[in-house]
Amino acid sequence: MEKTILNIILILILLVLSSCKTQYSNAELNANFSNEQIKELNKITEFFKAETCKNIDFKKCYRQTNHDSLQTNGEGFWAKLNFEKQKTLCEQIPQSIFKEIWMYCETTYYPSKTKAKSICANAFGKYQNYLTDLGKTNPRIARYAERIKASGDFNRLDLQYQEILNDNDSFDLKDPNIQLILAVHNLSINDKVTRNAHLIEKRAEPKF
């Protein structure tokens, strides 16, 4: 009798652990990327979390970050990323995965009219398809995917921290899918802001 009860308890524990492991869908990743490519995407996510949150739980870290202070300085969560380390990461990522997410565009900076390469979204790559697939069960991600496809770019206004903090249904910060999306988005914005910072015209501070 005791053995039967013990077996039942063990089965229940295994069922609970199994349900925890499958809490978040990986079907969209598997449908669009190979196993090797998924490993590289995981490296992007882990780099992002390590750089922005060190050893702190990502959800706790994101919620405890003083986003208002960053905004006051004209920055966002991406400002926690070290761009030199980010460039090293991007050089190490195989082109077979890099090109499924990003491409380089030529941008003209005024008033100097200097042309330089800047990072853009590959609106027809596997990452875009992945976002579209996720959007079938997450309407907010669907709108995000549509915005990227329409503009061919990542815009810092497309994902704002107030919405991420307040919309737990759309942005479950423990979901590896959401973590990957935030990783790619923030790395993209950091590159756009930092790579050609010397070419961006700085507006004079207003005088009172």
Side-chain angles (χ1 to χ4, degrees), residues 40-55:
E40 297 301 326
L41 291 172
N42 289 337
K43 288 180 184 178
I44 293 174
T45 301
E46 292 308 313
F47 169 83
F48 169 66
K49 293 196 295 184
E51 282 296 302
T52 56
C53 295
K54 310 306 177 190
N55 296 321

Side-chain angles (χ1 to χ4, degrees), residues 37-150:
Q37 288 177 323
I38 291 173
K39 288 180 182 178
E40 297 301 326
L41 291 172
N42 289 337
K43 288 180 184 178
I44 293 174
T45 301
E46 292 308 313
F47 169 83
F48 169 66
K49 293 196 295 184
E51 282 296 302
T52 56
C53 295
K54 310 306 177 190
N55 296 321
I56 303 174
D57 173 78
F58 180 72
K59 179 177 181 178
K60 181 178 180 180
C61 163
Y62 195 89
R63 289 192 167 280
Q64 289 183 345
T65 296
N66 190 337
H67 296 277
D68 288 329
S69 177
L70 291 172
Q71 289 281 305
T72 300
N73 293 325
E75 299 174 339
F77 197 68
W78 45 264
K80 291 186 170 191
L81 293 163
N82 181 297
F83 187 56
E84 292 305 314
K85 291 183 180 179
Q86 179 176 328
K87 286 197 295 185
T88 299
L89 171 73
C90 290
E91 289 168 0
Q92 294 172 346
I93 296 172
Q95 286 297 298
S96 61
I97 187 65
F98 185 92
K99 289 181 178 180
E100 296 296 346
I101 306 172
W102 295 292
M103 59 187 293
Y104 286 107
C105 304
E106 184 178 78
T107 301
T108 302
Y109 293 87
Y110 293 94
S112 66
K113 296 184 180 180
T114 302
K115 296 182 184 296
K117 72 175 183 178
S118 61
I119 203 164
C120 302
N122 179 357
F124 301 97
K126 290 182 179 180
Y127 182 72
Q128 181 68 32
N129 295 336
Y130 160 71
L131 290 177
T132 300
D133 285 348
L134 272 179
K136 293 174 182 176
T137 55
N138 187 328
R140 181 60 185 86
I141 298 304
R143 295 199 302 274
Y144 176 64
E146 289 169 2
R147 173 67 179 79
I148 293 174
K149 189 168 185 177

